[in-house]
Amino acid sequence: MSELKNIDWSHLAFDYVKTDYNVRCAFDGSKWGDIQVSDSEYINLHMAASCLQYGQEIFEGQKAFRGKDGKVRLFRIEENCKRIQDSARGLMMEPIETEKFIEMAEKVIKLNARFIPPYGSGSSLYLRPLEIGVTPRVGVRSATDYLMLIFATPVGNYFAQGFTTCKVVIYREYDRAAPCGTGRWKVGGNYAGGLRATERAKQHGYSAALFLDPKEKKYLDECGPANFFIIEGDRYITPKSNSILPSITNMSLQQIAKDMGLKVECRPVPVEELAQADEAAECGTAAVATPISEVYDYDNDIHYVISKDGKPGPVVTELYHRLQAIQKGEAPDVHGWMREIDV
């Protein structure tokens, strides 16, 4: 396939760009069907579908990279599959079969190969798998029929400024998810629930809202649509609670941190511990590892200044570059995270 013309690969936003094809697979109440290829950007959906009435909707985010050697690799697809299966079980939906999910992901990459950004551009091909309940429902109960769909789009950095520091803010009047709710699953409603806090944060000049635990408002939770971690000396510390999405990027950074000789702690992190942090970052498929220079506790009018010079710290910088090097084929994939795609 020829490369797309008129795309400035180095200046892509993190936004939707139309590509050639998406792939779909339906569950009819008894089994998953064959994978279908579509060039339509639209879904024919019943107005009473359970995804619209009662929020039976889950999704994933993952990336494919064109490496230094020209090969295309997909990052930790098996972990994304495990997580969407877990999300499905959490919302009483039908989990997709592992082999079928991976086949769909590989197929959508191959079908849209001309949209995979070139090595060195700083961009990647983003995959968005989603599963929705399509059975018409008026009574509150789970669907029997489901649609799994994966589309792909080339994206740049989630934050337009690239790898540089940002500032975030804490508002105690907002929750991202309930204490024993859907926070640990990748559900669209969790993100909708955080939009008001995020918009307010941006109006106040911050990149994101840092949410606290929804039960006691004492511990750090998620940072906007991403996980959060701090560096204290030789320790990589990330919050733990039932309302935090288990981030595959965070999991990977923890392993890299161990490879660097750091001690990894996953535990409740009190807000006040920010005063002891040497570095901080939000992390996820989109954000990768974005350094945080300051956290403002709005309700208590406390500024936790983490980076005195406003620049990324050495540990977060090293973590970021090591992960990127593995994804782009610049460093050995010693943990077997990358799946090579023959395009």
Side-chain angles (χ1 to χ4, degrees):
M1 287 179 146
S2 60
E3 185 175 286
L4 249 194
K5 296 180 181 179
N6 301 322
I7 283 189
D8 186 351
W9 300 107
S10 298
H11 294 89
L12 278 172
F14 194 92
D15 209 345
Y16 177 76
V17 174
K18 185 182 184 302
T19 53
D20 292 329
Y21 301 101
N22 58 79
V23 295
R24 310 177 183 200
C25 186
F27 183 81
D28 65 1
S30 60
K31 66 181 185 304
W32 288 98
D34 295 331
I35 297 171
Q36 305 294 324
V37 176
S38 176
D39 61 1
S40 173
E41 298 173 275
Y42 298 94
I43 300 170
N44 186 15
L45 193 63
H46 195 287
M47 62 184 177
S50 67
C51 61
L52 300 177
Q53 305 305 312
Y54 302 116
Q56 278 198 301
E57 178 274 345
I58 55 177
F59 71 100
E60 275 299 319
Q62 55 200 121
K63 288 180 179 178
F65 303 84
R66 195 179 297 278
K68 187 175 183 179
D69 55 6
K71 296 179 179 179
V72 174
R73 297 176 179 86
L74 182 58
F75 181 65
R76 304 202 75 171
I77 178 66
E78 294 84 2
E79 293 300 328
N80 284 102
C81 184
K82 289 178 186 176
R83 193 168 65 179
I84 202 168
Q85 290 169 339
D86 190 46
S87 295
R89 286 186 284 267
L91 266 69
M92 299 295 292
M93 300 172 69
E94 183 65 30
I96 185 79
E97 299 153 355
T98 300
E99 297 76 13
K100 184 145 295 201
F101 182 82
I102 293 174
E103 183 182 352
M104 290 177 72
E106 291 185 346
K107 185 179 284 290
V108 81
I109 292 170
K110 293 176 182 180
L111 288 168
N112 296 291
R114 68 193 185 111
F115 290 90
I116 304 171
Y119 169 77
S121 65
S123 299
S124 57
L125 186 71
Y126 183 80
L127 272 60
R128 172 53 60 84
L130 64 145
E131 182 180 343
I132 56 175
V134 296
T135 307
R137 290 289 189 234
V138 175
V140 182
R141 62 190 190 277
S142 61
T144 54
D145 307 278
Y146 296 92
L147 174 67
M148 171 67 71
L149 182 150
I150 304 181
F151 66 84
T153 186
V155 297
N157 288 314
Y158 187 73
F159 294 108
Q161 67 269 26
F163 185 74
T164 187
T165 59
C166 65
K167 297 180 181 180
V168 300
V169 60
I170 296 170
Y171 301 118
R172 283 172 175 75
E173 65 184 275
Y174 303 108
D175 289 326
R176 173 185 160 271
C180 297
T182 59
R184 60 193 181 278
W185 303 312
K186 203 164 179 65
V187 179
N190 295 339
Y191 296 81
L195 288 176
R196 289 180 64 232
T198 299
E199 183 61 27
R200 184 179 176 188
K202 291 182 177 179
Q203 289 173 356
H204 287 170
Y206 296 91
S207 296
L210 176 56
F211 293 95
L212 301 184
D213 76 281
K215 184 177 182 180
E216 299 182 89
K217 300 288 186 179
K218 293 181 179 179
Y219 303 98
L220 303 174
D221 204 270
E222 286 216 343
C223 190
N227 271 199
F228 179 82
F229 70 89
I230 59 176
I231 302 297
E232 288 183 26
D234 64 350
R235 293 181 295 161
Y236 177 114
I237 303 168
T238 191
K240 180 181 181 180
S241 86
N242 287 333
S243 59
I244 295 176
L245 181 74
S247 164
I248 295 164
T249 302
N250 195 350
M251 181 195 313
S252 305
L253 290 171
Q254 288 176 46
Q255 180 58 60
I256 294 173
K258 292 175 183 176
D259 295 343
M260 293 166 55
L262 298 176
K263 300 171 186 175
V264 172
E265 298 178 11
C266 185
R267 59 170 172 80
V269 181
V271 177
E272 296 76 18
E273 193 167 343
L274 287 169
Q276 302 167 216
D278 297 311
E279 301 179 47
E282 55 181 300
C283 61
T285 300
V288 189
T290 300
I292 294 172
S293 61
E294 179 182 315
V295 178
Y296 178 45
D297 185 340
Y298 179 86
D299 300 280
N300 294 317
D301 194 24
I302 298 173
H303 290 267
Y304 293 99
V305 179
I306 297 167
S307 173
K308 302 299 188 294
D309 60 5
K311 297 179 181 179
V315 177
V316 173
T317 300
E318 181 71 10
L319 288 166
Y320 172 86
H321 286 302
R322 285 201 184 201
L323 178 58
Q324 290 271 283
I326 294 168
Q327 292 174 331
K328 296 176 181 179
E330 300 168 346
D333 179 22
V334 297
H335 299 294
W337 291 341
M338 309 304 295
R339 174 181 287 263
E340 191 172 311
I341 310 296
D342 184 17
V343 298

